Amino acid sequence: DQQVKQNSPSLSVQEGRISILNCDYTNSMFDYFLWYKKYPAEGPTFLISISSIKDKNEDGRFTVFLNKSAKHLSLHIVPSQPGDSAVYFCAASAQEYGNKLVFGAGTILRVKS
Amino acid sequence: GAGVSQSPSNKVTEKGKDVELRCDPISGHTALYWYRQRLGQGLEFLIYFQGNSAPDKSGLPSDRFSAERTGESVSTLTIQRTQQEDSAVYLCASSQRGGIRGYGYTFGSGTRLTVV
């Protein structure tokens, strides 16, 4: 029962172009969404989050968009840099789950120079 | 410490043996979480500690798994009679406040457990 799905296992983008990472969820009770970035042999690091009362949150090159009616969110990275190459995890939180995050399976992003 | 520290970083064990994984959270972080990631899958919640409250053990997959935490410091995750399906990266995270809603956790680098 995967409540958070990242359907693209991998994505390859040219340096300088936009990277768009997608995430779908099934539980309408989710009200916070987060993106984590993970390099090999390191733990995931928090990147950006969005509350369900918003539809967009921007932090530098990173923007997260939320479409509640479609139960879909996306992470945009503009411009993409080689150092952005990593695994990106989408995660969601709901009041009923307390402080637990529900994670997707991750998308491997490769930025080619 | 400056970050969440986990040990060992790698552990290979024989099926049926017990293993103990350790996590040192960031000093002052009251909440501590254990997750695991099996190959090709997302992060799977195991257990959550918040201060002196009873831990949320709802994610532990079987009674072979247990975890302890002393106060707001070190936590150990113990897996008894390991099975091959226990092979995964076990990740520990901590947060400054119990309600992480939107703030995120800080993860350690994980322990890669391989059961042969």
Side-chain angles (χ1 to χ4, degrees):
Chain A
D1 174 23
Q2 273 199 299
Q3 298 189 65
V4 178
K5 298 178 185 178
Q6 294 177 255
N7 292 318
S8 297
S10 65
L11 174 68
S12 188
V13 170
Q14 197 67 36
E15 180 179 6
R17 304 295 291 269
I18 185 171
S19 295
I20 300 176
L21 297 141
N22 292 304
C23 178
D24 296 292
Y25 62 96
T26 57
N27 189 341
S28 57
M29 299 303 291
F30 286 142
D31 60 354
Y32 269 103
F33 302 89
L34 303 89
W35 285 93
Y36 278 80
K37 175 179 176 180
K38 185 182 184 301
Y39 292 119
E42 295 183 13
T45 54
F46 171 71
L47 194 54
I48 192 169
S49 67
I50 188 167
S51 161
S52 60
I53 62 172
K54 295 185 175 182
D55 55 18
K56 177 182 173 181
N57 187 26
E58 192 172 349
D59 184 2
R61 296 185 299 114
F62 303 91
T63 303
V64 56
F65 294 93
L66 175 63
N67 181 335
K68 281 202 308 184
S69 61
K71 294 191 178 68
H72 176 83
L73 64 154
S74 60
L75 174 68
H76 293 212
I77 306 174
V78 182
S80 302
Q81 299 173 354
D84 297 329
S85 297
V87 179
Y88 288 79
F89 290 99
C90 172
S93 162
Q95 197 76 39
E96 62 181 343
Y97 295 136
N99 299 313
K100 291 175 289 192
L101 292 178
V102 180
F103 285 85
T107 297
I108 300 169
L109 173 66
R110 295 187 186 90
V111 180
K112 298 176 290 187
S113 55
Chain B
V4 177
S5 177
Q6 291 188 248
S7 60
S9 54
N10 279 286
K11 175 74 176 177
V12 179
T13 190
E14 291 181 354
K15 179 181 172 180
K17 295 282 178 74
D18 297 352
V19 295
E20 194 172 275
L21 313 179
R22 178 187 168 106
C23 172
D24 274 285
I26 292 173
S27 178
H29 279 194
T30 59
L32 186 147
Y33 315 81
W34 283 97
Y35 280 76
R36 74 175 175 182
Q37 185 184 17
R38 289 189 280 189
L39 193 63
Q41 299 185 24
L43 280 67
E44 177 187 358
F45 169 78
L46 297 177
I47 188 169
Y48 157 56
F49 295 91
Q50 170 57 50
N52 294 318
S53 302
D56 177 352
K57 303 179 182 180
S58 60
L60 294 178
S62 77
D63 58 8
R64 296 187 295 106
F65 287 72
S66 62
E68 291 184 351
R69 186 183 187 196
T70 306
E72 294 182 357
S73 62
V74 172
S75 175
T76 54
L77 176 69
T78 301
I79 309 173
Q80 295 178 310
R81 306 180 302 282
T82 51
Q83 303 294 313
Q84 288 184 325
E85 63 262 27
D86 299 334
S87 296
V89 176
Y90 288 81
L91 290 158
C92 176
S94 68
S95 67
Q96 192 166 19
R97 58 181 85 184
I100 55 84
R101 319 269 281 116
Y103 296 98
Y105 316 141
T106 301
F107 279 92
S109 299
T111 294
R112 181 176 295 278
L113 175 67
T114 304
V115 181
V116 297

